[in-house]
Structure formats: structure tokens, C-alpha cells
Amino acid sequence: MPAPKDPEFRRRAVELARLREKPIAQIARDLGIAESGLRRWMAQADVDEGKREGLSSDERAELVRLRRENRTQAMEIEILKRASAYFARENVLGK
């Protein structure tokens, strides 16, 4: 899998594609990226600029962060449940 391109590269690529001086396929080939990737970048730029419905890049990043945090908290809760059950069993049965 190729390394991700920096945001400035993506922004400039989208600008080039929007000028419509060349076909999108040609621009993508010239930049060394996949045509589908350039089209995705263009669609995401439209969402970020409010031209289309969908999650903006900032909202998507926040969603990823919140889901990761949620997974971590769910694991912590599960660990605490098991620990409390273990210690409750120990107190009932004695030592």
C-alpha cells in the first residue's frame, strides 16, 4: 500500500482536477496516484466545503477518536466487572 499523501498535495491535486484542463485520469497518472483516489479526494473536498452532504474530514477524525475511546472504555469496564466478580466470590467463599 502506498504511503498516504500529505494534505497540501491532496488540496493541490483537487485544484488541478477542478480546473478541467486535462481529464481526471490524465491528472491522476501525471501525479502518480490512482484515478479513484483523486475522485475520492474531490468528493471529500466537496463535503468539507459544504457542497455535498456527508461527514467532513474533521467530523470523521472525531468519530474515529470517539470510537477508539469507546472501545478502550468498554474493555476497561469488562476488566473491572471480572475483577469485582473475582473479589466478590473470594469474599463469599472465604479464604
Side-chain angles (χ1 to χ4, degrees):
M1 182 176 231
K5 304 294 185 193
D6 64 274
E8 179 64 19
F9 178 86
R10 290 178 183 215
R11 188 183 61 73
R12 299 285 307 263
V14 168
E15 286 176 9
L16 277 173
R18 285 184 176 165
L19 291 176
R20 303 276 188 207
E21 292 177 354
K22 295 182 183 176
I24 292 176
Q26 180 64 44
I27 294 170
R29 239 186 336 273
D30 291 348
L31 295 173
I33 58 176
E35 179 183 353
S36 61
L38 180 54
R39 289 187 187 278
R40 264 195 326 272
W41 294 351
M42 291 176 69
Q44 186 62 50
D46 287 343
V47 170
D48 290 345
E49 295 166 4
K51 296 177 183 176
R52 293 176 70 180
E53 288 289 318
L55 290 176
S56 70
S57 297
D58 293 337
E59 291 170 332
R60 190 173 305 280
E62 182 181 14
L63 184 61
V64 167
R65 182 187 62 79
L66 290 172
R67 285 182 175 167
R68 186 174 296 132
E69 188 177 303
N70 193 12
R71 270 195 315 271
T72 302
Q73 289 175 350
M75 287 185 343
E76 290 171 352
I77 289 170
E78 183 62 29
I79 290 168
L80 290 172
K81 282 181 182 178
R82 290 181 184 197
S84 64
Y86 174 80
F87 288 116
R89 190 174 341 116
E90 190 175 278
N91 284 339
V92 171
L93 298 176
K95 294 183 180 183

